[in-house]
Structure formats: C-alpha cells, structure tokens
Amino acid sequence: MWWVEAVADGFRYPASPLPIALFRVVLAVAGLWKVGDEHHRGAGRWFAPNSYVSYRYRREHPRLPVGATGYRVLYVAKLIAAGCLLVGLAPRLAALVLGVWFLFELRYDRKFHTAYLGLCTLFLAASPVLGDALTFRTVAEAVASSPVAAIRSEAARTSHDVFAQVLLVLLTVQMYVSSAYRKLRSRQFMSGAALHVFTAALHGERHTQRFRDTWYPPFIARRLIDVPDRVGARRWRPAAVATVVLEAVLPVALLVPALYPAAVVAGILMHAAFTAVLPIRLVPFSLATVGSYLLFPDPAGAALWPWLG
C-alpha cells in the first residue's frame, strides 16, 4: 500500500497534486455551505452585546475574551478564507485561517463534525502542493485550451511530500473507527432506541423550529417515528447495526485497492442516509468525509484516472 511506503520513507512518495487539490475544492464547498447556513441562522449576530452565545463564551473562557468587534473580524476572515480556498488563492494561508476559525467555533459550540472540519483544514495547510492544481489559473488554461487538457497537465505534475495527505487519510480512518466503537458500546444506540428518540424529537418539534432541519416523508413517519418506543426501537435496530458495521469496515475497504470502488459507493449511500435522517447542518461534514475518499488511492496514479482520457 502506498501510504505504508510513504510512512516508511519519511512521507516521501511520488504523488500527483490532483487528489489533494480535489479535496481542497470539496472542503472549501463544505466550508462555504456551513458558513452560508449558519449566516442564514443569524451567526453574524451571535456575539452581539448581551447575546446568550457571547455571555456563555465569556463565562467559560474569561482569559480569552472575544468581543463583538473581534468576532466580526474573525467572521469576515473565515468568509474570505473559504472563498480563497475554493479558487486556490493563497490556499495554505486560507486553510490555516479557516482551521483557526473552526477551532474558535469549538470554544462556544462543541460539535464533533466541526472538530473534523477544523482538523481537515489544518492538516490541509501542511500540504505544499495545494496551489498546484484546480485553481483560478486552471480556469484560464481551460479557456485557452480545454478543461480536460488543463487538468491532465496539472495531474501529470509530481511532488514527493505526502505528509498532509497521509494525515488526512489517517484522520478519516480514525473518525470512522472511533465513531463505530462509541456506537457499539452504546446499548441505547445498538438497540435502535437512540435513533427513534432522536428522530421523534425532531419530527415532533418540526412546527416550532425557526429553521427547519429535517423532513420525513409521511410513510416514514408512520412506520418508524409515530410508533410506541419499543416498536420504534425494534424497527430502527437494523439501521443502527448497519451503521456500526459500515463505519467499522469502510476504513479498511477504502485502503484496499480492490475494495475501493465498492467502499466509495457504500460510503456515499451511508452519508446520503445520514443526510436524510439527521439535521441538514451535517451536510458539510458528509461532503468533507466523502471528499476525503479521493485521498485514499495511490496518488501517483492520479494522472491515469479514466475521466482524464
């Protein structure tokens, strides 16, 4: 396996910049989605004077005060950084700024998916080839020649520093394995009760939510949600077991070339199911996670990907 050779050789391995550049674009889209969704929910005013979020932050972190002005500076910086990361303008600096924002966000809104996005951007900032493919310069070259020719030319470039790519692969592997382990140890989750209680709460509060996070078709609500707890837990149990099995198996399958295509399909379907069941705010996490699958194949073979002709 290529990543074993890379680790053994001090993270030196011939690699195309295309896979990590593709992941950069996907991660930037995920970041922009998260930023846009939170802005729609009023995130720009969360640190206004006398706001609850500002009060809670000051109470929990009195030695690291951030007022309304400081929050606005960070807020504008993350918007600019997400845009720059997407087009490949100073991408390492943009990834670092976005990562700092996500770490700051964890200080007042602790979410596992925010931690994953933050680590992804910080690890991405360690890559020296972020600006070598799929940037604003690629668009100019595509206009002058053709999109396929421009991308093929960038994919043929070679670097030997895969430290960031290996870190990102290990991060996704660790995320899946730890998630499967935590769920496996939870009797409530494995019984299906957690999924039933969670979806029932979201469905029951749908008319009182200011921002609608979920929508369940009537037949799903009748079959899986608006039922007694014991019945609901029993009907959700297969989904709970399948989730744990997939999260445990996917990291191994993604690392094995022969199983990689099937693993990608299974991972996409699993995250599509997550999107259907869980709040829509988790879409950026699913985008970033599925995007990380691009980093698992041997990066030396990116120039030979079929869609590049």
Side-chain angles (χ1 to χ4, degrees), residues 63-251:
R63 296 183 180 180
L64 190 63
V66 174
T69 302
Y71 179 77
R72 279 193 222 103
V73 170
L74 290 170
Y75 196 83
V76 172
K78 75 166 179 179
L79 290 171
I80 296 173
C84 289
L85 190 64
L86 178 65
V87 301
L89 181 63
R92 297 183 72 179
L93 178 60
L96 182 61
V97 171
L98 200 56
V100 169
W101 165 265
F102 285 134
L103 292 182
F104 166 69
E105 186 177 325
L106 286 171
R107 308 282 290 186
Y108 65 86
D109 188 21
R110 300 182 186 91
K111 296 287 191 302
F112 286 121
H113 62 269
T114 302
Y116 178 76
L117 292 172
L119 289 173
C120 280
T121 49
L122 291 176
F123 290 172
L124 201 63
S127 174
V129 298
L130 279 190
D132 288 0
L134 301 181
T135 66
F136 62 93
R137 291 183 291 271
T138 310
V139 177
E141 293 176 13
V143 171
S145 56
S146 73
V148 173
I151 296 175
R152 186 187 298 136
S153 172
E154 293 178 342
R157 297 171 184 170
T158 302
S159 72
H160 290 81
D161 188 340
V162 292
F163 177 67
Q165 185 164 345
V166 172
L167 282 182
L168 288 162
V169 167
L170 293 177
L171 175 64
T172 298
V173 169
Q174 180 275 334
M175 182 271 296
Y176 274 136
V177 172
S178 62
S179 178
Y181 177 71
R182 287 169 62 89
K183 291 181 175 72
L184 184 63
R185 293 193 60 188
S186 170
R187 182 177 301 177
Q188 188 179 24
F189 184 87
M190 294 303 296
S191 69
L195 288 174
H196 176 244
V197 170
F198 183 74
T199 53
L202 289 174
H203 185 65
E205 297 173 356
R206 64 192 183 281
H207 298 304
T208 61
Q209 293 173 351
R210 183 179 178 187
F211 302 102
R212 188 72 178 271
D213 264 341
T214 54
W215 177 81
Y216 302 118
F219 72 93
I220 293 291
R222 288 194 304 270
R223 178 72 180 168
L224 297 175
I225 298 175
D226 294 331
V227 293
D229 290 345
R230 182 175 297 180
V231 176
R234 186 178 69 251
R235 292 177 179 175
W236 277 105
R237 189 178 302 132
V241 174
T243 299
V244 172
V245 171
L246 279 172
E247 288 186 337
V249 171
L250 264 179

Side-chain angles (χ1 to χ4, degrees), residues 2 13-15 19 165 295-302 305:
W2 71 268
Y13 189 84
Q165 185 164 345
L295 304 175
F296 281 77
D298 189 337
W305 286 354

